Amino acid sequence: MEFVWVVPRQILFPEATPHGLIALEPQELEERYLAPAREHGFFIERRYAESHPEFKQPIPYVAVCREDSVLCLTRLSTQGEKRLHGKRSIGVGGHINPCDLDHGELFSSACSRELHEELVLPEIELPLTPVGLLNDDTTAVGAVHVGLVYRLDATALEVSIRETSAMAGDFESLASLHALATTPESPFETWSNLLLRSGALENESNIKVNA
């Protein structure tokens, strides 16, 4: 039995429910969403959470970037989440579990754990930058989840896929992926599609390159 961190929907979205990426500076993201999600969240059984949209399950969703490219993954049919089989993704992440409480700040700990579970990375403090919040209530998956979007600067890091039986992929240019995401037959899972269409990662990349 798996337990996951959830937050009452009304706490996160007391007024209108947003759609797509809400790009925010780190301090504003902390004040508007992360702090309330920590204060009012709690663990419940995942099977229950998956069918109760009055709760939102925060999912750390990390884009692994190298200047103007991003790690693009394809979820294989061996993965447990059948609803995402065959979909392409630029986000690495997953549910927040009780073990994440034991390793520092809840959300960054979950980010680090998920990254190391899915990818082979150096055992260092990873250079993560908060990007914003992703929400999409138009799908069954999206209705019970909310994405906490981070960018990992992997310019100086060796990166490879750990779960080769569950995922395949490589670094691809953000420009080409953005173009693909805007086609009617976009192959990306919903969150990746919304994130790519927002252009937020391309803006972050430009800042990084021109700094």
Side-chain angles (χ1 to χ4, degrees), residues 36-55:
R38 276 191 222 95
E39 181 180 355
H40 298 282
F42 50 89
F43 288 108
I44 63 174
E45 203 265 319
R46 179 177 176 180
R47 184 171 54 181
Y48 182 89
E50 292 289 345
S51 59
H52 286 77
E54 67 268 28
F55 299 113

Side-chain angles (χ1 to χ4, degrees), residues 86-143:
K87 293 290 188 179
R88 302 188 74 192
S89 173
I90 61 165
V92 177
H95 293 84
I96 299 171
N97 299 135
C99 63
D100 297 315
L101 286 172
D102 301 328
H103 298 90
E105 197 278 317
L106 182 64
F107 302 131
S108 59
S109 294
C111 276
S112 180
R113 175 180 56 79
E114 288 287 345
L115 283 164
H116 283 288
E117 284 180 2
E118 298 193 16
L119 304 174
V120 179
L121 291 161
E123 293 292 338
I124 60 171
E125 183 175 350
L126 298 173
L128 291 162
T129 302
V131 175
L133 196 82
L134 261 176
N135 191 65
D136 172 42
D137 282 352
T138 66
T139 69
V141 177

Side-chain angles (χ1 to χ4, degrees), residues 8-211:
R9 175 185 288 269
Q10 191 63 24
I11 294 295
L12 287 178
F13 307 131
E15 299 176 354
T17 301
H19 178 78
L21 177 72
I22 309 168
L24 297 169
E25 292 296 322
Q27 187 58 38
E28 188 176 7
L29 179 65
E30 170 66 27
E31 293 173 357
R32 285 179 58 181
Y33 294 110
L34 300 188
R38 276 191 222 95
E39 181 180 355
H40 298 282
F42 50 89
F43 288 108
I44 63 174
E45 203 265 319
R46 179 177 176 180
R47 184 171 54 181
Y48 182 89
E50 292 289 345
S51 59
H52 286 77
E54 67 268 28
F55 299 113
K56 279 287 192 176
Q57 302 167 58
I59 304 293
Y61 198 72
V62 185
V64 183
C65 300
R66 283 180 176 165
E67 297 184 343
D68 60 352
S69 66
V70 63
L71 183 63
C72 186
L73 305 167
T74 299
R75 301 184 185 278
L76 305 179
S77 60
T78 51
Q79 281 204 354
E81 180 51 86
K82 294 181 179 179
R83 294 172 293 188
L84 300 178
H85 288 172
K87 293 290 188 179
R88 302 188 74 192
S89 173
I90 61 165
V92 177
H95 293 84
I96 299 171
N97 299 135
C99 63
D100 297 315
L101 286 172
D102 301 328
H103 298 90
E105 197 278 317
L106 182 64
F107 302 131
S108 59
S109 294
C111 276
S112 180
R113 175 180 56 79
E114 288 287 345
L115 283 164
H116 283 288
E117 284 180 2
E118 298 193 16
L119 304 174
V120 179
L121 291 161
E123 293 292 338
I124 60 171
E125 183 175 350
L126 298 173
L128 291 162
T129 302
V131 175
L133 196 82
L134 261 176
N135 191 65
D136 172 42
D137 282 352
T138 66
T139 69
V141 177
V144 294
H145 298 89
V146 63
L148 310 179
V149 184
Y150 293 80
R151 183 182 190 275
L152 172 63
D153 181 8
T155 304
L157 303 180
E158 291 289 331
V159 181
S160 61
I161 297 171
R162 185 183 300 278
E163 297 182 332
T164 54
S165 62
M167 291 189 295
D170 205 347
F171 285 90
E172 300 184 38
S173 77
L174 278 164
S176 65
L177 295 177
H178 179 274
L180 191 59
T182 58
T183 63
E185 301 299 324
S186 171
F188 296 102
E189 63 185 29
T190 304
W191 280 2
S192 288
N193 208 59
L194 291 169
L195 182 53
L196 285 166
R197 287 187 177 206
S198 76
L201 294 178
E202 292 173 277
N203 294 339
E204 290 281 344
S205 175
N206 290 337
I207 292 171
K208 198 75 178 178
V209 172
N210 295 330

